[in-house]
Amino acid sequence: MNIEELKLVLQTIQGISGDASTAAILWVALHYGSGIITGLLTAGTILGMVYLVIKAIMANTEWANAVKEVCKAYGCNDDYSFITTEQKRALRKAIDRSKT
């Protein structure tokens, strides 16, 4: 490499960052940041899957089925995933009536 090429390389480096510390900081952030982001995304995906499995199991327990039967007997709609406040009040009234 002759002196002209070396000057050109040094000018390019100075033009990009002004000093080597900025380039080093950027390299470290990009190099290790991608691993951290990948790890966080992986952990989030695993936790999301666990949450969905637990939610599905809880929705099909005996208590959930009993509530669905009471709600159906009272005349609620077939969508049991979201019970409105009105339906909750109606269920409480039905339970209170059954106690007396």
Side-chain angles (χ1 to χ4, degrees), residues 11-13 16 20 23 34 39 55-56 66 71-72 91-92:
Q11 285 176 352
T12 304
I13 291 173
I16 291 174
S34 63
K55 189 174 176 182
C71 190
K72 188 175 180 180
L91 287 171
R92 286 187 186 122

Side-chain angles (χ1 to χ4, degrees), residues 49-66:
M49 297 291 283
V50 168
Y51 172 77
L52 289 175
V53 168
I54 289 172
K55 189 174 176 182
I57 290 170
M58 289 176 62
N60 291 315
T61 61
E62 291 181 30
W63 282 104
N65 291 333

Side-chain angles (χ1 to χ4, degrees), residues 11-89:
Q11 285 176 352
T12 304
I13 291 173
Q14 280 184 334
I16 291 174
S17 67
D19 62 322
S21 64
T22 305
I25 290 170
L26 287 174
W27 180 83
V28 167
L30 291 173
H31 183 72
Y32 293 108
S34 63
I36 291 170
I37 290 172
T38 302
L40 288 174
L41 287 174
T42 302
T45 302
I46 291 170
L47 289 174
M49 297 291 283
V50 168
Y51 172 77
L52 289 175
V53 168
I54 289 172
K55 189 174 176 182
I57 290 170
M58 289 176 62
N60 291 315
T61 61
E62 291 181 30
W63 282 104
N65 291 333
V67 170
K68 289 177 186 178
E69 287 178 23
V70 171
C71 190
K72 188 175 180 180
Y74 185 75
C76 299
N77 60 7
D78 291 335
D79 181 23
Y80 301 113
S81 58
F82 298 104
I83 296 177
T84 63
T85 305
E86 245 178 66
Q87 292 168 338
K88 286 180 186 177
R89 281 191 211 127

